[in-house]
């Protein structure tokens, strides 16, 4: 039998792929700033739509009144047509109505009241997401599902950890679940296809009305289960499909094929000896254990996601006893002798330090205000995950006093020269936004990493959290198992290079997907040049 008969022919949405630079391994749904703009765009369109509806209602009201008036008149006139027309005024008005008024009514009925709405929609459409963007959003949802181990019902109902109960939420419909499953199917991701088609089926079975019929869902579901090696379940769903549509050509073909394969499998099992049976059972268990999302390009995916869930490495009591909170004046810096900064040890190797209350709310709002116009209003899909690219802006010190003030504050606290540092980068991650594991410094196989800057390698990273995140969004260090959680106004700092100039590979880190909320951060990367007398080098490569 031709195996192609088993394959449903469905349209796919394939995310476009743009090249990712070495130093921008970020994948993010899109900035909340952009999503907010879209929300207001939709609100404007709804207002325009309501204006159109009112105009149509006014037009129909005029037609209705005219029809009611003529209905009464014609009812009276037709009772005694000759007598009615014997009156010259009635005769004149009949001529006038037929020659003039009915023409005016025709013009009114034919008048298109939608011009304003259509014009507005056409203008706004250029800013709308496209198929690729919708695919990226779907994949972001599935990424959140995997990272935080959420079942489909939790996502569909919107009852996510950290969700504000006062925020309105529209549950996912059968169509929404079906669309997610269909997008997974287009990537041959049968694991997620099964999950979301099953959720769509549950909601249909629960009585939800839908434009998607059960036969279509069962078609996807049976095939995705078959592709994962579960013949009996695939056969059960195929039989259920045929009860609804006995003439379904593909399902009838699949039924025969599944029954043939299952009979063949049972025959082999019946002829096997005890050892072979035990081996086969073991293989089945192993296959069942391995069943799940397809492998991807990130070797540390499992560890990364564990850390995102807060399942990091726990320090021994001895190591923990060496972690402190303190007030720091950076070796009696004049600005901080009377007002030291609050410093907290987050990790020991590599040493990660958090500084509390680094930015005030007014400073944060000013930085966001400066950065928002720089964020592109269009979506750009890229990367192997199909999610949309990172949204960021670079702020120079001369743009506003607050930027210069922040740069100086970083220098005063760290003791490092920021004149050779990169400009302040501001980034905004929306729901599903993440930054996959990477190094901030250039490795030995990247000799020209920062050549154009002429300031050497990135010696240290200063990361400011400019918002709290209700759920998700941690910064995790995958090599050592550390997790740092966002806290508005605080900053974390670490060295990417040892004092010898060698890269510290334990600083490999990532930004976890934002599950609920809006994450704003700003980064300052300090470079080697200018630090010669501020952080002296050593000959020991691991110091």
């Amino acid at each position: 039998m031709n195996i192609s008969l088993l394959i449903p022919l469905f349209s796919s949405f394939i995310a476009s792929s743009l090249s990712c630079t070495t130093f921008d391994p970020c994948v993010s749904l899109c900035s909340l700033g952009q999503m907010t703009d879209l929300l207001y765009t939709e609100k404007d369109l709804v207002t325009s739509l309501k204006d159109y509806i009112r105009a149509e209602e006014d037009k129909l009201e005029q037609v209705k009144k005219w029809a009611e008036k003529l209905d009464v008149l014609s009812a009276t006139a037709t009772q005694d047509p000759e007598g009615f027309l014997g009156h010259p005024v009635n005769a004149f008005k009949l001529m006038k109505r037929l020659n003039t008024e009915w023409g005016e009514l025709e013009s009114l009925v034919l008048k298109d009241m939608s011009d304003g709405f259509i014009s507005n929609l056409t203008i706004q459409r250029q800013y709308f997401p496209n198929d690729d963007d919708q695919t990226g959003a779907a994949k972001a949802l599935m990424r959140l599902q995997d990272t935080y181990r959420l079942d489909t019902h939790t996502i569909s109902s919107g009852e996510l950890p950290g969700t504000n109960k006062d925020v309105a939420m529209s549950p996912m419909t059968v169509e929404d679940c079906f669309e997610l499953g269909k997008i997974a199917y287009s990537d041959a991701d049968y694991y997620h296809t099964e999950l979301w088609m099953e959720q769509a089926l549950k909601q249909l079975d629960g009585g939800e009305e839908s434009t998607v019929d059960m036969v279509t869902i069962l078609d996807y579901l049976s095939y995705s289960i078959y592709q994962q090696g579960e013949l009996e379940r695939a056969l059960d769903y195929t039989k259920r499909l045929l009860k609804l549509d006995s003439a379904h050509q593909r399902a009838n073909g699949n039924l025969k094929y599944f029954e043939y394969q299952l009979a063949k499998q049972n025959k082999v099992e019946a002829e096997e000896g005890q050892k072979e049976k035990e081996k086969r059972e073991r293989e089945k268990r192993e296959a069942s254990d391995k069943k799940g999302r397809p492998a991807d390009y990130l070797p540390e995916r499992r560890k990364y996601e564990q850390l995102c869930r807060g399942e990091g490495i726990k320090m021994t009591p001895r190591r923990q006893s060496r972690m402190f909170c303190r007030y720091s004046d950076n070796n009696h810096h004049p600005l901080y002798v009377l007002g030291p900064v609050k410093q907290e040890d987050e990790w020991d190797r590599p040493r990660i330090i958090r500084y509390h209350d680094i930015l005030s709310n007014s400073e944060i709002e000013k930085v966001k205000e400066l950065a928002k116009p720089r964020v592109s209003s269009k979506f750009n899909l890229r990367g192997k995950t199909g999610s949309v690219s990172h949204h960021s802006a670079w702020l120079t010190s001369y743009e506003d006093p607050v930027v210069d003030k922040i740069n100086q504050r970083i220098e005063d606290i760290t003791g490092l020269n920021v004149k050779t540092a990169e400009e302040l980068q501001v980034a905004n991650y929306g729901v599903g936004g993440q930054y996959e594991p990477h190094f901030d410094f250039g490795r030995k196989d990247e000799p020209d990493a920062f050549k154009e800057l002429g300031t050497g390698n990135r010696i240290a990273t200063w990361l400011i959290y400019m918002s709290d995140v209700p759920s998700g969004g941690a910064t995790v260090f995958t090599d050592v198992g550390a997790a740092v959680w966002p806290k508005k106004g605080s900053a974390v700092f670490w060295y990417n290079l040892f004092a010898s100039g060698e890269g510290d590979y334990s600083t490999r880190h990532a930004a976890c997907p934002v599950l609920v909320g809006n994450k704003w951060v700003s980064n300052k990367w300090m470079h080697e040049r200018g630090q010669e007398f501020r952080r002296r080098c050593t000959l020991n490569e691991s110091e």
Side-chain angles (χ1 to χ4, degrees), residues 371-403:
K372 281 179 181 178
R374 316 282 179 85
V375 178
S376 169
S377 61
K378 281 298 289 180
F379 301 91
N380 245 337
L381 280 186
R382 73 117 199 274
K384 297 177 183 178
T385 59
S387 52
V388 246
S389 62
H390 180 222
H391 300 271
S392 62
W394 297 86
L395 304 182
T396 57
S397 57
Y398 57 78
E399 291 186 59
D400 192 277
V402 74
V403 181

Coordinates of all heavy atoms in Angstrom, one line a residue, residues 371-403:
A371 N 13.8 54.4 24.7 CA 14.1 53.2 23.9 C 12.9 52.8 23.1 O 13.1 52.3 22.0 CB 14.4 52.0 24.9
K372 N 11.7 53.1 23.5 CA 10.5 52.6 22.8 C 10.4 53.0 21.3 O 10.1 52.1 20.5 CB 9.2 53.1 23.5 CG 8.9 52.2 24.7 CD 7.6 52.8 25.4 CE 7.3 51.9 26.7 NZ 6.1 52.4 27.4
P373 N 10.8 54.2 20.9 CA 10.7 54.5 19.5 C 11.7 53.8 18.6 O 11.5 53.7 17.4 CB 11.0 56.0 19.5 CG 10.7 56.5 20.8 CD 11.1 55.4 21.7
R374 N 12.7 53.2 19.3 CA 13.8 52.5 18.5 C 13.4 51.1 18.1 O 14.0 50.5 17.3 CB 15.1 52.5 19.3 CG 15.5 53.7 20.0 CD 16.1 54.8 19.0 NE 16.4 56.0 19.7 CZ 17.5 56.2 20.4 NH1 18.4 55.2 20.4 NH2 17.7 57.3 21.0
V375 N 12.4 50.6 18.9 CA 12.0 49.2 18.6 C 11.2 49.2 17.4 O 10.2 49.9 17.2 CB 11.2 48.7 19.8 CG1 10.7 47.2 19.5 CG2 12.0 48.7 21.1
S376 N 11.6 48.3 16.4 CA 10.9 48.2 15.2 C 9.4 47.8 15.4 O 9.1 47.0 16.2 CB 11.5 47.1 14.3 OG 10.7 46.9 13.2
S377 N 8.5 48.5 14.6 CA 7.1 48.2 14.7 C 6.7 47.0 13.8 O 5.6 46.5 13.9 CB 6.3 49.4 14.3 OG 6.6 49.7 12.9
K378 N 7.6 46.5 13.0 CA 7.3 45.3 12.2 C 7.9 44.0 12.9 O 8.9 44.1 13.6 CB 7.9 45.4 10.8 CG 7.1 46.3 9.9 CD 5.7 45.7 9.7 CE 5.7 44.5 8.8 NZ 4.4 44.0 8.6
F379 N 7.4 42.9 12.6 CA 7.8 41.6 13.2 C 8.8 41.0 12.2 O 8.7 41.1 11.0 CB 6.7 40.7 13.4 CG 5.6 41.2 14.3 CD1 4.6 41.9 13.9 CD2 5.8 41.0 15.7 CE1 3.6 42.4 14.7 CE2 4.8 41.5 16.6 CZ 3.7 42.2 16.1
N380 N 9.8 40.3 12.8 CA 10.8 39.7 12.0 C 11.1 38.3 12.5 O 11.6 38.1 13.6 CB 12.1 40.5 12.0 CG 12.5 41.0 10.7 OD1 12.1 40.5 9.7 ND2 13.3 42.1 10.7
L381 N 10.6 37.3 11.8 CA 10.8 35.9 12.2 C 12.2 35.5 11.8 O 12.7 35.8 10.8 CB 9.9 35.0 11.5 CG 8.5 35.0 12.1 CD1 7.7 33.9 11.3 CD2 8.5 34.7 13.5
R382 N 12.8 34.7 12.7 CA 14.1 34.2 12.4 C 14.5 33.1 13.4 O 13.9 33.0 14.5 CB 15.2 35.2 12.3 CG 15.6 35.8 13.7 CD 17.1 35.4 13.9 NE 17.3 35.5 15.3 CZ 17.7 36.6 15.9 NH1 17.7 37.7 15.3 NH2 17.9 36.6 17.2
G383 N 15.5 32.4 13.1 CA 16.0 31.4 14.1 C 15.3 30.0 13.8 O 14.3 29.9 13.2
K384 N 16.0 29.0 14.4 CA 15.5 27.6 14.1 C 14.2 27.4 14.9 O 13.5 26.4 14.5 CB 16.6 26.6 14.6 CG 17.8 26.8 13.8 CD 18.9 25.9 14.3 CE 20.2 26.1 13.5 NZ 21.3 25.2 14.0
T385 N 13.9 28.2 15.9 CA 12.6 27.9 16.6 C 11.4 28.6 15.9 O 10.3 28.4 16.3 CB 12.7 28.4 18.0 OG1 13.0 29.8 18.0 CG2 13.8 27.7 18.8
G386 N 11.7 29.5 15.0 CA 10.6 30.2 14.3 C 10.0 31.3 15.1 O 9.0 31.9 14.7
S387 N 10.7 31.7 16.2 CA 10.1 32.8 17.0 C 10.7 34.1 16.5 O 11.7 34.1 15.7 CB 10.5 32.6 18.5 OG 11.8 32.4 18.6
V388 N 10.1 35.2 16.9 CA 10.5 36.5 16.3 C 11.8 37.0 17.0 O 12.1 36.7 18.1 CB 9.4 37.5 16.5 CG1 8.8 37.9 15.2 CG2 8.4 37.1 17.4
S389 N 12.4 37.9 16.3 CA 13.7 38.3 16.7 C 13.7 39.2 17.9 O 12.7 39.8 18.2 CB 14.5 39.0 15.5 OG 13.8 40.1 15.1
H390 N 14.8 39.5 18.4 CA 15.0 40.3 19.6 C 14.7 41.7 19.3 O 15.1 42.2 18.3 CB 16.5 40.1 20.0 CG 16.9 40.9 21.2 ND1 18.1 41.5 21.3 CD2 16.3 41.1 22.4 CE1 18.2 42.1 22.5 NE2 17.1 41.8 23.2
H391 N 14.1 42.4 20.3 CA 13.8 43.8 20.1 C 14.6 44.6 21.1 O 14.5 44.5 22.3 CB 12.3 44.0 20.3 CG 11.5 43.2 19.4 ND1 11.1 43.7 18.1 CD2 11.0 42.0 19.4 CE1 10.4 42.8 17.5 NE2 10.3 41.7 18.3
S392 N 15.5 45.5 20.6 CA 16.3 46.3 21.5 C 16.7 47.6 20.9 O 16.5 47.9 19.7 CB 17.6 45.5 21.8 OG 18.4 45.3 20.6
A393 N 17.2 48.5 21.7 CA 17.6 49.8 21.3 C 18.9 50.2 22.0 O 19.2 49.7 23.1 CB 16.5 50.9 21.7
W394 N 19.7 51.0 21.4 CA 21.0 51.4 22.0 C 20.9 52.9 22.3 O 20.6 53.7 21.5 CB 22.1 51.1 21.0 CG 22.3 49.7 20.7 CD1 21.7 49.0 19.7 CD2 23.2 48.8 21.3 NE1 22.1 47.7 19.7 CE2 23.1 47.5 20.7 CE3 24.1 48.9 22.3 CZ2 23.8 46.4 21.0 CZ3 24.9 47.7 22.7 CH2 24.7 46.5 22.1
L395 N 21.2 53.2 23.6 CA 21.1 54.6 24.0 C 22.5 55.1 24.3 O 23.3 54.5 25.0 CB 20.3 54.7 25.3 CG 18.8 54.1 25.2 CD1 18.1 54.3 26.5 CD2 18.1 54.8 24.1
T396 N 22.8 56.3 23.7 CA 24.1 56.9 23.9 C 24.1 57.9 25.1 O 23.0 58.4 25.4 CB 24.6 57.7 22.6 OG1 23.6 58.6 22.3 CG2 24.8 56.7 21.5
S397 N 25.2 58.2 25.7 CA 25.2 59.0 26.9 C 24.8 60.4 26.6 O 24.4 61.1 27.5 CB 26.6 59.0 27.5 OG 27.6 59.4 26.6
Y398 N 25.0 60.9 25.4 CA 24.7 62.3 25.1 C 23.2 62.6 24.8 O 22.8 63.7 24.6 CB 25.6 62.9 24.0 CG 25.5 62.1 22.7 CD1 24.4 62.3 21.8 CD2 26.4 61.2 22.3 CE1 24.3 61.5 20.6 CE2 26.4 60.4 21.1 CZ 25.3 60.6 20.3 OH 25.2 59.9 19.1
E399 N 22.4 61.5 24.7 CA 21.0 61.6 24.3 C 20.2 62.2 25.4 O 19.3 63.0 25.2 CB 20.4 60.3 23.9 CG 21.0 59.7 22.6 CD 20.2 58.4 22.2 OE1 19.0 58.5 22.1 OE2 20.9 57.4 22.1
D400 N 20.5 61.9 26.6 CA 19.7 62.4 27.8 C 20.6 62.3 29.0 O 21.4 61.3 29.2 CB 18.5 61.5 27.9 CG 17.5 62.2 28.9 OD1 17.7 62.0 30.1 OD2 16.6 62.9 28.4
P401 N 20.5 63.2 29.9 CA 21.3 63.2 31.1 C 21.2 61.9 31.9 O 22.1 61.4 32.6 CB 20.8 64.4 31.9 CG 20.3 65.3 30.9 CD 19.7 64.5 29.8
V402 N 20.0 61.3 31.9 CA 19.8 60.1 32.7 C 20.6 58.9 32.2 O 21.1 58.1 33.0 CB 18.3 59.7 32.7 CG1 17.9 59.0 31.3 CG2 18.0 58.7 33.8
V403 N 20.9 58.8 30.9 CA 21.8 57.8 30.3 C 23.2 58.0 30.8 O 23.9 57.1 31.2 CB 21.7 57.7 28.8 CG1 22.6 56.6 28.3 CG2 20.3 57.5 28.3

